[in-house]
Structure formats: structure tokens, C-alpha cells
Amino acid sequence: MATFAFQSTSNAQSYKNAIGGRFGAANGVTFKTTLGGNKMIDLIANFRSNGNYSYFRVTGLYEIYNPISNASGLNWYYGIGGTVGSVKYKPHNESDLYLGLDGVLGLDYKFADAPINLSLDWKPAIGLVPETDFDASGVGLSLRFTF
């Protein structure tokens, strides 16, 4: 049986900035930048549309990274943040402000010999406005160019 030991270091991730796409329940653009040490900010602009509504949202996440021992370039991370955006209800053509609180838990991998980063995470959200709800469907895969 294999086990992974988790450890913290002062510089867990191996890149300073990354930009690319996020794909999953909501598709969009993601930009990560380091705050120093093992902390990063992830900004996500995404959209979702179905038969009843469409929305555009911008999410900011404060994330803490921790390397996984014996797996160079692989980190696990967690964090919290918030979302602001707009939702448009298609049958009535009405729009509302959207505000929410977000969490995130995921894995982040930076390829050693290429400026490529992959992240797979779960981003549950609590909608506050226009109505209170819980959305647990926030699984996403991000592919980014690092610099």
C-alpha cells in the first residue's frame, strides 16, 4: 500500500504566473499569480448557459499550495474566495446581480521541461444573491501557459 506524505515549504509551486483555460461545468479563462511563499491568487472569468439561464462570473480565489512528497511538480491546494457576476433568465429576459462565496480543493502539476501547468479541482460555491443556494458541481480542469 502506497502512501503520500504532505509537507509545506516556503515555495510550493514552481511558477510565478500562469494563464489559460478552465473547462468543466463552466468554461472560462483563468489567471494565477504568486503572492510569495506557497500562496497564489487565481482569477477565473467564466460563463455557463442552459435552456433557462446564462451567466457571466468573475471569481477570485486565495489558494495555499503544498507539495506532495516524491512527486516533483505536483502540489495539492485549498482556498477560499468570492464571485461577482450577472445572471440572465432566458424566458423572461431579466437580469440579476450574482454574488457568491467559493471554496477550492485541487491538484496542480507543472511540467518540468515545458511552460505548461495543469490543475484539476473542485470549486463548490454558495450563492448569496439573487437567491441562496449551494452548487457542488464546480469540478474543472485548467490548462495554462506559465511565465
Side-chain angles (χ1 to χ4, degrees), residues 9 16 20 74 77 82 90 101-102 108-109 116 136:
T9 67
K16 293 189 184 294
L74 184 62
Y77 63 94
K90 292 182 181 179
L101 298 174
D102 299 85
D108 183 271
Y109 182 73
I116 303 295

Side-chain angles (χ1 to χ4, degrees), residues 110-134:
K110 166 63 176 76
F111 288 89
D113 297 326
I116 303 295
N117 162 251
L118 290 174
S119 293
L120 178 63
D121 59 42
W122 176 53
K123 193 181 75 53
I126 298 172
L128 302 173
V129 172
E131 58 187 43
T132 304
D133 65 353
F134 179 70

Side-chain angles (χ1 to χ4, degrees), residues 82-94:
T83 297
V84 63
S86 67
V87 60
K88 183 175 184 176
Y89 304 101
K90 292 182 181 179
H92 307 291
N93 205 25
E94 298 173 358

Side-chain angles (χ1 to χ4, degrees), residues 15-138:
Y15 57 92
K16 293 189 184 294
N17 300 294
I19 190 166
R22 179 177 168 90
F23 310 96
N27 298 315
V29 177
T30 171
F31 173 74
K32 282 193 179 195
T33 189
T34 185
L35 295 175
N38 65 339
K39 295 160 186 67
M40 294 191 93
I41 292 288
D42 188 5
L43 300 173
I44 304 166
N46 65 20
F47 55 90
R48 181 188 285 180
S49 182
N50 70 20
N52 299 321
Y53 67 90
S54 61
Y55 72 64
F56 175 76
R57 298 179 184 174
V58 176
T59 302
L61 296 166
Y62 176 80
E63 299 172 342
I64 299 172
Y65 284 68
N66 298 287
I68 297 177
S69 295
N70 301 321
S72 180
L74 184 62
N75 295 282
W76 70 278
Y77 63 94
Y78 61 94
I80 60 170
T83 297
V84 63
S86 67
V87 60
K88 183 175 184 176
Y89 304 101
K90 292 182 181 179
H92 307 291
N93 205 25
E94 298 173 358
S95 296
D96 276 323
L97 173 69
Y98 178 89
L99 295 175
L101 298 174
D102 299 85
V104 66
L105 177 64
L107 293 171
D108 183 271
Y109 182 73
K110 166 63 176 76
F111 288 89
D113 297 326
I116 303 295
N117 162 251
L118 290 174
S119 293
L120 178 63
D121 59 42
W122 176 53
K123 193 181 75 53
I126 298 172
L128 302 173
V129 172
E131 58 187 43
T132 304
D133 65 353
F134 179 70
D135 182 3
S137 67

